[in-house]
């Protein structure tokens, strides 16, 4: 693994090849992000060191000024590299540097570009504030480095490193796609790729448009499967735009009949939805979420009701599925969908990148 990272860094530093399609994992010191429409441009990043996985370099790109990258505390220079893989037009840089242990987390840094296999400094900042906005002469470059010439043993702490063109951030995930909490408290991201948005299906037009959540952490012991007793919460403030308070379960014969129709037809609008008992929430700014297969809905959750982040929505279940039709606890899980501007989140995003995108989206919960 160490050899792989070293080879990758060499490629990043000296521009031997364009950015690869995928590598690393969120929290590592080297990674590549390509979230389709969610990101302005695909880019890879690397850092000289990270104090801990929780304070990895991905915190530099989540549009959250209160999440930080911490370097190790060694007496050596530190750096952050962003590689777009091909030429980009750039005319400003923004760096957020918080206070750390009573003083600014770095006293100086340099903005560098890779020029003919050497780092060329184009700007030095020796008067560092919380928010440092640097307007640059327009440049075209594919690789930039923020360099910290450390001379003592201390951590460098950075909140945001933004590369911009005319005010548009090229290397960041918009706060529209971050800051939500996971709908299952202590829940785990699905382990199987076919449980993620964008996974292929033999029905419903061939695409799974949500994530299927089956497991949650326990305070002691291994993760366990969800049960009818597990509650679900709103991922953010919003307004209830659908609540199936008059839901009636499918009979076994109904389930079999509608299943046969769904296998033959691309359109799955039927008299009874396989999503079962549902709640939909409009979070504003074009973002909507839907909860499917609920066993019950919390009192007070109704059309037009306002909810806050973390408010209980209902209980997980298997409504709309074979288990409900049979009257047992088979296949209890939450099918959870995220819709942005009329499209499901993750459309066209490969599964390895989708896992990272979901960690950005649910940044209010620890899903590492």
């Amino acid at each position: 693994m160490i050899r792989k990272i070293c080879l990758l860094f060499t490629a990043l530093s000296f521009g031997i090849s364009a950015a690869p399609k995928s590598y690393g994992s969120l929290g590592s010191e080297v990674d590549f992000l390509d979230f389709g429409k969610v990101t302005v441009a695909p880019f890879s990043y690397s850092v000289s060191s990270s104090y801990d996985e929780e304070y990895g370099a991905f915190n530099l790109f989540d549009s959250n000024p209160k999440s930080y990258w911490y370097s190790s505390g060694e007496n050596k220079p530190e750096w952050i590299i962003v590689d777009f893989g091909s030429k980009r037009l750039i005319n400003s840089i923004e760096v957020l540097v918080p206070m750390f242990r009573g003083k600014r987390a770095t006293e100086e840094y340099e903005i560098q570009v890779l020029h003919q296999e050497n780092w060329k400094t184009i700007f030095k900042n020796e008067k560092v504030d919380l928010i440092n906005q640097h307007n640059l002469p327009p440049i075209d470059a594919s690789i930039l480095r923020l360099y910290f010439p450390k001379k003592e043993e201390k951590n460098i702490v950075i909140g945001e490193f933004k590369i911009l063109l005319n005010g548009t951030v090229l290397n960041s995930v918009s706060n529209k796609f971050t800051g939500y909490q996971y709908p299952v408290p202590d829940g785990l991201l699905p382990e199987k790729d076919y449980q993620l948005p964008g996974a292929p299906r033999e029905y419903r037009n061939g695409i799974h448009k949500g994530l299927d959540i089956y497991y949650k952490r326990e305070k002691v012991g291994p993760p366990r499967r969800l049960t009818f007793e597990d509650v679900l919460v709103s991922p953010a403030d919003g307004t209830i735009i659908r609540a199936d308070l008059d839901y009636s379960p499918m009979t076994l014969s109904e389930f079999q009949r509608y299943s046969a129709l769904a296998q033959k037809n691309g359109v799955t609008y039927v008299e009874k939805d396989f999503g079962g008992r549902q709640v939909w929430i409009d979070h504003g700014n074009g973002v909507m979420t839907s909860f499917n297969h609920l066993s019950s809905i919390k009192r007070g959750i109704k059309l037009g009701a306002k909810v806050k982040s973390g408010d209980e929505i209902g209980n997980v279940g298997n409504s709309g599925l074979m288990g409900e039709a049979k009257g047992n606890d088979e296949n209890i899980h939450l099918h959870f969908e995220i819709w942005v501007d009329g499209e499901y989140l993750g459309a066209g995003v490969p599964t390895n990148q989708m896992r990272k995108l979901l960690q950005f989206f649910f940044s209010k919960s620890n899903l590492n």
Side-chain angles (χ1 to χ4, degrees):
M1 182 65 180
I2 293 174
R3 172 180 169 80
K4 183 178 179 181
I5 289 176
C6 288
L7 289 172
L8 180 56
F9 169 62
T10 300
L12 283 170
S13 297
F14 297 104
I16 292 174
S17 62
K21 296 299 182 184
S22 64
Y23 56 78
S25 61
L26 208 62
S28 67
E29 294 175 0
V30 181
D31 207 350
F32 175 72
L33 302 182
D34 183 2
F35 299 155
K37 297 177 183 178
V38 175
T39 44
V40 173
F43 66 95
S44 59
Y45 64 78
S46 62
V47 290
S48 49
S49 66
S50 289
Y51 175 75
D52 183 81
E53 183 180 90
E54 182 179 354
Y55 303 108
F58 64 93
N59 289 317
L60 295 163
F61 314 113
D62 64 357
S63 297
N64 180 0
K66 295 183 179 179
S67 66
Y68 307 114
W69 164 66
Y70 285 69
S71 76
S72 67
E74 299 178 40
N75 181 11
K76 64 175 185 178
E78 303 281 2
W79 42 257
I80 305 163
I81 291 176
V82 171
D83 183 354
F84 292 107
S86 61
K87 183 178 75 172
R88 295 287 169 182
L89 303 183
I90 298 158
N91 59 11
S92 65
I93 301 285
E94 184 176 307
V95 184
L96 190 149
V97 183
M99 298 293 289
F100 182 62
R101 295 177 178 170
K103 54 194 295 189
R104 196 61 63 192
T106 185
E107 297 173 355
E108 61 178 326
Y109 58 78
E110 300 175 17
I111 298 171
Q112 302 177 331
V113 295
L114 190 63
H115 177 65
Q116 297 179 350
E117 300 188 355
N118 293 298
W119 290 109
K120 178 180 180 180
T121 297
I122 59 174
F123 184 85
K124 289 185 179 181
N125 186 10
E126 297 177 336
K127 187 178 180 181
V128 179
D129 296 314
L130 173 62
I131 299 175
N132 304 270
Q133 182 79 44
H134 309 298
N135 295 319
L136 305 172
I139 61 172
D140 51 358
S142 61
I143 304 178
L144 288 92
R145 182 167 80 162
L146 199 62
Y147 180 74
F148 308 93
K150 273 199 324 186
K151 301 178 179 68
E152 57 182 304
E153 293 185 0
K154 66 176 183 179
N155 300 95
I156 301 294
V157 184
I158 304 296
E160 296 286 307
F161 175 33
K162 296 180 179 180
I163 301 170
L164 305 94
L165 175 65
N166 294 340
T168 297
V169 183
L170 305 179
N171 65 323
S172 180
V173 178
S174 166
N175 54 17
K176 179 175 181 174
F177 303 99
T178 65
Y180 294 79
Q181 71 178 79
Y182 209 48
V184 178
D186 298 318
L188 300 174
L189 280 176
E191 289 187 353
K192 299 178 174 61
D193 287 350
Y194 70 80
Q195 296 170 338
L196 294 173
R201 287 290 189 272
E202 295 180 356
Y203 53 90
R204 304 187 191 187
N205 297 316
I207 298 175
H208 187 236
K209 296 186 177 179
L211 59 154
D212 290 336
I213 305 171
Y214 281 87
Y215 289 89
K216 68 181 296 181
R217 300 180 186 89
E218 288 281 58
K219 292 182 179 178
V220 178
R224 66 163 175 83
R225 288 190 70 118
L226 300 179
T227 70
F228 290 126
E229 285 71 43
D230 287 308
V231 300
L232 306 170
V233 300
S234 177
D237 297 354
T239 303
I240 304 297
I241 58 173
R242 173 176 169 176
D244 294 347
L245 302 178
D246 57 352
Y247 173 80
S248 60
M250 284 191 192
T251 64
L252 185 56
S253 62
E254 284 178 325
F255 181 87
Q256 292 169 338
R257 178 159 58 91
Y258 291 134
S259 294
L261 289 172
Q263 294 290 339
K264 295 178 182 178
N265 299 282
V267 178
T268 59
Y269 178 81
V270 292
E271 293 177 43
K272 291 191 175 181
D273 196 326
F274 293 110
R277 185 181 285 105
Q278 300 178 42
V279 171
W280 297 5
I281 306 176
D282 184 354
H283 301 289
N285 202 20
V287 180
M288 189 195 80
T289 58
S290 70
F291 297 73
N292 297 254
H293 309 315
L294 278 66
S295 61
S296 65
I297 295 175
K298 180 81 172 178
R299 184 185 296 270
I301 299 298
K302 59 184 180 180
L303 187 64
K306 304 293 184 181
V307 291
K308 295 289 186 182
S309 177
D311 284 354
E312 288 189 19
I313 299 301
N315 288 74
V316 72
N318 61 1
S319 59
L321 302 174
M322 179 70 83
E324 180 192 51
K326 290 180 176 179
N328 61 33
D329 61 358
E330 175 187 329
N331 202 18
I332 293 174
H333 72 284
L334 172 66
H335 173 85
F336 184 78
E337 296 181 355
I338 305 162
W339 290 79
V340 182
D341 297 330
E343 180 63 277
Y344 73 93
L345 183 68
V349 177
T351 53
N352 65 322
Q353 294 292 318
M354 189 66 217
R355 293 184 183 281
K356 300 171 191 178
L357 175 54
L358 289 171
Q359 290 184 59
F360 274 97
F361 189 85
F362 296 116
S363 60
K364 201 169 181 181
S365 301
N366 180 17
L367 298 180
N368 285 334

